[in-house]
Amino acid sequence: MRRRGLTRVDSEDNLAEVKGLVKREFRRVKELYAHGYIEVLKRVMRLPDNKLAQALEDAEDDVRALQLFVALNAQAMQSIVKKLERRLQVEGFDGSAQSSPYYHHTPTSSQSTPIAIHDDPVLKELRGEIAKAVHKMNLRTPQHVEPKYKLYWQRWWILSIFSLLSLFNNVVCFTFAPISSASKLYYGTDVNLGHLVAFFFLAYIIFSFPSSRFVEKYGLRSGILVGAWLQVLGNSIRCLGHRVISDAEFPCVLAGQLVASLAQPFFVNPPPLIAATWFGKTERTLATTVAVNSNQFGIAVAYFLAPTMVHAPMDIPAYLDVLTITSLVLAAAATIYFPSGPPTPT
């Protein structure tokens, strides 16, 4: 039995669909808030320890802003839901008015026009309020989140230091190849010291994968510093013969060459990682090309530098001293500044 003063304007299925749409809009607000909060946490977690305190203070402001965002949206949607109440003038099947906020008394019994669910202006207003608040908060839904990219001028320092270290690694590798005859006379041996380059080739074959794993676990900086200081150590051992242990010059050269060879995997493998970490998409080919070819260019430098400095067998100690000092300068430069990556993604 129908009570006078109440009018049914839509079917039960139509009403259920409207309720579902409103619930989904409320759920979107909660998801946006959760996503914004997660973005705050991710930003804090990416920062180094020395910037953590300031980041936490900034995060508090961000969280308060997110909470304000939800509160403002809740008020806006409550106002819109009241409009929905006025539009959805319905009566229950049992003849009594429902307690749902979607039931409302009307003074007339005339039929109202059924609501077109998907094109209803009130629901459009609801979505518009959410979009407006999202725009003000500069939030994005997860599927549209894009990282902010920034290029740092320090990337050229990183590329330069690495390229010089890689170049110098092959200078050390081919130390005696251009001056093999003078080396035989100086060390009093029939061994062709030019064949000592085999130490580097074997070291790369054996330690290529372990060195890559080391860089992956401990970072690019750790790998480069290990390689740089191995070169210093190897060159220093080669100088021990003519500086400290005069009767063991040749064994010192062999030992030093072996130690220095262990550095090669740390300079041959990282170029793609440096390019991908520090450089933009349009610069990565150039960065990789420079880093890779610097190692090969070191062979040319060795064949130019050795004959230029060694005119007689007695010039070999001075040549080894110059290589040792150079390796020390390059290792010190890398130690001063060679982070594993930029402060923010590139």
Side-chain angles (χ1 to χ4, degrees):
M1 174 148 202
R2 188 180 301 275
R3 178 185 298 181
R4 294 186 59 84
L6 294 174
T7 306
R8 176 84 178 187
V9 301
D10 208 355
S11 67
E12 186 176 6
D13 292 340
N14 207 13
L15 177 60
E17 188 170 359
V18 172
K19 290 182 178 180
L21 286 171
V22 175
K23 287 181 180 178
R24 284 197 293 273
E25 297 302 334
F26 272 97
R27 193 180 305 117
R28 281 191 62 223
V29 173
K30 291 194 293 185
E31 289 174 354
L32 286 168
Y33 172 76
H35 171 66
Y37 187 69
I38 290 171
E39 286 300 309
V40 172
L41 291 178
K42 286 167 62 178
R43 187 169 68 248
V44 171
M45 292 172 66
R46 282 197 298 263
L47 291 173
D49 293 341
N50 57 348
K51 297 182 179 179
L52 191 57
Q54 182 61 42
L56 290 174
E57 292 181 8
D58 295 340
E60 290 180 4
D61 294 336
D62 290 338
V63 171
R64 280 195 292 269
L66 286 167
Q67 291 170 342
L68 177 61
F69 157 70
V70 173
L72 291 175
N73 272 274
Q75 293 176 4
M77 286 190 291
Q78 284 173 3
S79 174
I80 295 169
V81 167
K82 289 180 180 178
K83 294 181 182 180
L84 280 173
E85 292 176 2
R86 290 193 293 271
R87 290 177 63 85
L88 298 174
Q89 301 169 9
V90 294
E91 175 192 5
F93 291 108
D94 59 355
S96 61
Q98 301 294 314
S99 60
S100 167
Y102 299 103
Y103 290 85
H104 186 72
H105 291 275
T106 63
T108 67
S109 60
S110 60
Q111 289 288 338
S112 301
T113 305
I115 294 174
I117 299 300
H118 298 289
D119 299 323
D120 187 77
V122 178
L123 289 177
K124 287 183 178 179
E125 185 179 357
L126 176 60
R127 296 189 181 98
E129 288 294 330
I130 294 175
K132 190 191 305 181
V134 170
H135 179 73
K136 289 180 180 178
M137 287 298 303
N138 197 23
L139 288 174
R140 297 183 180 185
T141 52
Q143 60 267 29
H144 296 295
V145 173
E146 296 178 0
K148 293 183 179 179
Y149 295 102
K150 181 179 179 181
L151 295 177
Y152 295 83
W153 68 264
Q154 290 92 333
R155 67 191 186 280
W156 300 112
W157 166 269
I158 297 297
L159 181 62
S160 299
I161 293 298
F162 175 83
S163 298
L164 289 173
L165 284 167
S166 182
L167 180 152
F168 189 74
N169 182 254
N170 258 349
V171 172
V172 176
C173 174
F174 288 86
T175 299
F176 300 103
I179 52 172
S180 57
S181 298
S183 301
K184 284 183 180 181
L185 293 175
Y186 180 79
Y187 291 107
T189 179
D190 293 331
V191 177
N192 185 346
L193 271 70
H195 293 163
L196 294 182
V197 297
F199 284 180
F200 283 73
F201 301 153
L202 290 174
Y204 180 75
I205 293 172
I206 296 172
F207 295 104
S208 177
F209 289 104
S211 66
S212 297
R213 176 58 180 160
F214 180 90
V215 171
E216 181 182 356
K217 184 175 182 180
Y218 296 104
L220 181 62
R221 172 180 171 83
S222 299
I224 298 304
L225 291 185
V226 168
W229 288 103
L230 279 173
Q231 286 193 151
V232 174
L233 180 60
N235 280 285
S236 300
I237 293 174
R238 295 197 304 183
C239 291
L240 284 177
H242 62 268
R243 290 291 179 183
V244 180
I245 315 173
S246 57
D247 56 346
E249 286 188 88
F250 186 61
C252 286
V253 166
L254 294 179
Q257 196 79 355
L258 178 61
V259 172
S261 69
L262 301 178
Q264 187 166 74
F266 293 101
F267 300 122
V268 174
N269 293 340
L273 177 61
I274 292 176
T277 303
W278 281 93
F279 290 84
K281 291 181 179 180
T282 59
E283 300 173 337
R284 288 172 188 168
T285 300
L286 173 64
T288 304
T289 301
V290 171
V292 169
N293 284 286
S294 62
N295 187 261
Q296 304 303 312
F297 188 61
I299 301 174
V301 172
Y303 273 86
F304 171 80
L305 188 62
T308 301
M309 294 190 63
V310 179
H311 302 284
M314 297 309 296
D315 294 332
I316 290 179
Y319 179 45
L320 295 181
D321 288 342
V322 169
L323 295 183
T324 302
I325 294 172
T326 304
S327 67
L328 181 60
V329 171
L330 291 175
T335 303
I336 291 172
Y337 186 81
F338 202 105
S340 295
T344 60
T346 60

